[in-house]
Amino acid sequence: MQATRRQIVAALAALPLIGAAAPRTRVVLLGTKGGPTPGPYRAAPATLIEIDGRAWVVDCGNGVANQLAKAGVPLDALARIFVTHNHSDHMADVGTLIELAWSSGLKAPVTVHGPPPTGRIVHDQLAAFADDIAARIREEGRIPLAPLVRVDERANPGGVVRDGGTTVTSCLVDHETVRPAFAYRFDTPGRSIVISGDTHYSDDLVALATGADLLIHEAIYAPAIPRMAGENAPTLADHLRRSHTRAEDVGLVAARAGVKKLVLSHLVPGGPEITDAMWLAAVRTNFAGDVVVGRDLMEV
Ligand SMILES: [Zn+2]
Ligand SMILES: [Zn+2]
């Protein structure tokens, strides 16, 4: 039986276009140490999602621009920043990253998505660079920075943005007194990626991460909490327990969400005293799937 012209056209339309490869998505852990105190072993929290050469950065701990350079990302590729919550290990360098991207040749707009007071933080951090920005416009012929900076500040969870085949959604997570705190899900043409932000065990996060290809989740090593808090600091120990997720419970989140791969990041404590084997043993109490202990500049 001869195929009709309509059938041939339909069959051709169903084939992938020659040369039109699927957008390449690369996920790189830029910094994997949780908490505000810098350490020699891991950099401050930040994660790169690179889609077809455009850099999206989730959280901007101190040193994020340098970590992007080490990951081989030109700073003028910066397109979007997603802030999970207003703690310094997540937003200390949000304005600095934008300024350094601009002084490295940024010409396209950058949008910062985040909870209140993200807009004020971006404005105030960039204000500290006013003289430098004016000097570089004057001396280096750079275009004005202000028109390139956009802020999408929102207090409520849900749809965040759709961009080039990628959809970003968020949910509220439980970071004790810091509210709102978000987790983000990125459904790209190639992969679904969820980043927990800082949170205690969260059923909302389980729902957001359901069926995801990759879950990057914060983790605290519970047996280390008394030592970190100091023997006479029950308040801090209590805070750490209520605002972060024990590695055992990270495994529970991954198991309940049915994710294909779990990556631990934002590790507390972030030093070598907790070995990969110790982290994995804790997670394995509840999750039998693919799990990786994150390290800086690791592609996951
Ligand atoms: Zn944190
Ligand atoms: Zn936090």
Side-chain angles (χ1 to χ4, degrees):
M1 190 176 83
Q2 214 172 11
T4 66
R5 177 178 162 77
R6 184 186 292 253
Q7 284 169 328
I8 292 168
V9 168
L12 287 173
L15 291 172
L17 284 173
I18 294 166
R24 172 161 156 70
T25 302
R26 187 166 76 116
V27 181
V28 178
L29 307 177
L30 299 172
T32 56
K33 177 192 179 297
T37 308
Y41 195 64
R42 298 175 185 275
T47 304
L48 166 72
I49 300 176
E50 192 180 55
I51 306 171
D52 263 358
R54 297 175 76 220
W56 294 10
V57 176
V58 185
D59 284 329
C60 291
N62 175 241
V64 61
N66 203 38
Q67 294 299 101
L68 281 165
K70 288 179 184 173
V73 179
L75 288 190
D76 62 357
L78 182 66
R80 296 186 184 276
I81 294 171
F82 299 83
V83 176
T84 59
H85 67 290
N86 178 24
H87 261 154
S88 60
D89 51 329
H90 298 259
M91 56 65 180
D93 273 10
V94 62
T96 301
L97 175 58
I98 294 169
E99 206 275 350
L100 294 177
W102 172 78
S103 55
S104 301
L106 182 78
K107 301 224 169 25
V110 171
T111 303
V112 185
H113 308 269
T118 294
R120 177 167 59 77
I121 292 167
V122 171
H123 176 272
D124 289 356
Q125 289 190 0
L126 287 175
F129 292 108
D131 288 8
D132 175 85
I133 292 166
R136 291 186 195 281
I137 291 172
R138 192 173 61 239
E139 294 159 5
E140 301 176 9
R142 301 213 175 266
I143 60 175
L145 172 56
L148 300 182
V149 181
R150 295 169 188 179
V151 175
D152 171 33
E153 182 178 285
R154 54 183 73 212
N156 296 314
V160 177
V161 69
R162 298 179 73 132
D163 180 351
T166 295
T167 303
V168 185
T169 49
S170 69
C171 75
L172 289 172
V173 288
D174 177 11
H175 197 33
E176 206 184 12
T177 58
V178 179
R179 299 191 182 97
F182 289 128
Y184 291 106
R185 176 173 177 136
F186 302 82
D187 286 290
T188 78
R191 298 170 87 186
S192 49
I193 302 143
V194 176
I195 298 181
S196 70
D198 284 11
T199 182
H200 193 251
Y201 172 88
S202 166
D203 280 325
D204 286 349
L205 178 58
V206 170
L208 186 77
T210 294
D213 295 313
L214 179 64
L215 170 62
I216 300 174
H217 200 298
E218 71 122 278
I220 191 165
Y221 193 75
I225 289 175
R227 182 183 56 75
M228 285 189 287
E231 288 183 5
N232 296 317
T235 308
L236 176 56
D238 195 41
H239 162 75
L240 288 171
R241 285 193 188 93
R242 281 190 284 135
S243 59
H244 294 287
T245 309
R246 298 182 319 141
E248 292 84 349
D249 290 340
V250 176
L252 201 58
V253 172
R256 288 182 176 171
V259 300
K260 294 194 180 71
K261 180 176 179 179
L262 169 65
V263 175
L264 305 186
S265 189
H266 194 287
L267 299 172
V268 178
E273 67 275 24
I274 314 301
T275 64
D276 285 8
M278 292 160 75
W279 285 111
L280 292 173
V283 172
R284 288 274 179 233
T285 57
N286 287 311
F287 182 60
D290 188 8
V291 54
V292 172
V293 180
R295 289 199 182 281
D296 293 1
L297 304 177
M298 179 187 272
E299 185 170 343
V300 293

